[in-house]
Amino acid sequence: MSQSVSPAAATDAPTAAHLLDFVRRTAADTALVASLPLDPEGRTWVRLDGPGGSEAWLIGWPPGTGTGWHDHAESIGAFATARGALKENALAVRLPSGGWRALELHDGVDRERLLRTGQGRAFGRHHVHEVLNESVTEHAVSVHAYYPPLPLIRRFSRTGPVLRLEQVERPEDWQ
């Protein structure tokens, strides 16, 4: 999928607002959303052309699937639900960029939101969250965009207030 970009936007890095506009517009493209092959057991995805050199994905979520806790390192991002509903659990805290394996989180840092078809959100650098399709019967589909293209994803486990760094993935792990 190719999006037209104005000459001014082509020379400037996209902002979180630009990414949010892109994911919302793309999520409204019913033909594109319908073209995504859906697997009943695992997530599916197709890479898209994002604005201003951003990385973008169309993702299918079978019932009961999710990402687990993760962040997108130094990238800003946005995502929008194109079909179904996705729940986002997020942390309202900035984690250190390195040098730790486990952190104890303070009370009040948890945030939760439900994003139904057509709804989206943008986020800044170091945003820690998990995204879930809690439906037991329906697939969900979403559009995601990140800038700069993801240099890595840190994956975490969480037990109560303790967040543990479990794995660091690089682009070659998912592309």
Side-chain angles (χ1 to χ4, degrees):
M1 178 180 146
S2 180
Q3 298 288 324
S4 62
V5 177
S6 71
T11 59
D12 297 327
T15 65
H18 290 128
L19 296 178
L20 182 58
D21 179 61
F22 168 80
V23 297
R24 283 181 173 154
R25 283 185 290 110
T26 305
D29 183 339
T30 56
L32 175 67
V33 171
S35 74
L36 180 67
L38 300 176
D39 182 325
E41 296 181 19
R43 287 190 300 153
T44 55
W45 55 87
V46 173
R47 182 117 188 217
L48 305 173
D49 293 329
S54 64
E55 179 176 343
W57 299 90
L58 179 66
I59 301 175
W61 305 77
T65 59
T67 60
W69 288 97
H70 67 283
D71 74 2
H72 306 100
E74 296 289 326
S75 298
I76 62 171
F79 71 98
T81 304
R83 186 167 89 197
L86 292 171
K87 178 182 176 185
E88 181 194 35
N89 295 317
L91 299 177
V93 63
R94 182 173 174 160
L95 301 179
S97 60
W100 65 276
R101 296 298 292 175
L103 294 172
E104 187 167 344
L105 303 170
H106 296 284
D107 289 340
V109 299
D110 289 291
R111 302 292 182 268
E112 178 182 303
R113 66 175 42 95
L114 184 64
L115 299 165
R116 298 184 189 284
T117 300
Q119 295 178 318
R121 69 152 352 265
F123 52 86
R125 301 179 197 302
H126 307 286
H127 179 69
V128 178
H129 69 167
E130 67 175 347
V131 180
L132 309 160
N133 176 6
E134 293 187 317
S135 172
V136 295
T137 59
E138 301 296 322
H139 264 80
V141 176
S142 58
V143 179
H144 302 247
Y146 310 99
Y147 188 85
L150 296 173
L152 59 89
I153 292 177
R154 295 187 302 177
R155 298 217 174 261
F156 308 101
S157 63
R158 182 163 181 198
T159 306
V162 178
L163 190 71
R164 285 186 174 74
L165 177 62
E166 298 291 345
Q167 180 180 4
V168 176
E169 294 178 3
R170 307 263 178 220
E172 56 271 17
D173 297 326
W174 67 81
Q175 293 184 6

